[in-house]
């Protein structure tokens, strides 16, 4: 099995940032408990003209784990009315070149 | 100073993958030597329908370091004819939520 990377970009208007974060954390907490979940970093754009305000980079043990995690419980969460304003753009990637080692973050993970 | 994350997406057609990688590594080798460069992961799409074939996630010590590194030497490299086929989409981000710790890669970094 090869670990894979999800890059999920969200085009969120500034006024909806807090609602998005609230909804996203709920879904993320659900997915974190699934087998094969390795971790994530959620990014917020610094520049106001970035086409995607939020980008989540998440790591899964395999495509099979990733697909199995997006089950009926997941769909129930993202089918809530609040989520309809947040169009995800999920794509799966493999890492082909790396340097500089890993970096550590000191941000909220709750 | 706050470390920042560059997310740079490239829409590369399949036939140009090897040329892109060759050019990208040349530019990346130049930037790696600059002050404030912390590291990167270059991602290649697994799914054929991903809108961006390659996504580079790079980390810099600060916006000032990032901007200073993109100097005349950098522009000389990306002004080469081969680069004209590779439109970058660079945006700067901060990490706002993280879990699962860092993950290690075992891919080529030359």
């Amino acid at each position: 099995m090869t670990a894979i990377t999800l890059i999920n970009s969200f085009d969120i208007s500034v006024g909806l940032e807090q609602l998005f974060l609230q909804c996203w954390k709920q879904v993320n907490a659900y997915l974190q408990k699934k087998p094969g979940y390795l971790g994530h970093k959620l990014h917020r754009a610094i520049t106001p003209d970035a086409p995607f305000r939020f980008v989540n980079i998440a790591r899964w043990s395999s495509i099979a784990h990733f697909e199995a995690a997006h089950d009926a419980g997941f769909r129930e969460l993202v089918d809530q009315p609040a989520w309809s304003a947040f169009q995800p753009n999920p794509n799966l990637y493999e890492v082909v070149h790396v340097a500089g080692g890993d970096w550590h973050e000191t941000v909220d993970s709750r």
Side-chain angles (χ1 to χ4, degrees), chain A:
Chain A
M1 285 193 308
T2 309
I4 53 110
T5 301
L6 165 74
I7 300 182
N8 198 357
S9 304
F10 299 88
D11 180 8
I12 307 295
S13 56
V14 175
L16 288 179
E17 277 199 5
Q18 287 312 310
L19 180 60
F20 168 77
L21 275 170
Q22 186 183 323
C23 292
W24 182 88
K25 285 180 188 176
Q26 188 185 31
V27 176
N28 176 256
Y30 179 81
L31 291 175
Q32 280 197 39
K33 295 176 190 151
K34 294 290 182 181
Y37 183 90
L38 298 178
H40 74 268
K41 293 194 182 85
L42 179 66
H43 302 77
R44 179 168 53 201
I46 294 172
T47 42
D49 58 345
F52 294 108
R53 195 94 202 117
F54 288 92
V55 180
N56 183 37
I57 316 278
R59 195 81 171 149
W60 289 85
S61 297
S62 71
I63 294 179
H65 282 105
F66 171 80
E67 290 178 346
H70 293 77
D71 54 9
F74 166 80
R75 285 192 297 275
E76 195 173 307
L77 288 173
V78 298
D79 280 348
Q80 296 176 102
W83 255 107
S84 62
F86 311 133
Q87 185 64 37
N89 296 279
N91 289 287
L92 296 182
Y93 288 82
E94 59 183 336
V95 176
V96 292
H97 197 278
V98 65
D102 288 310
W103 46 75
H104 293 273
E105 310 292 343
T106 54
V107 296
D108 184 18
S109 62
R110 287 163 296 177

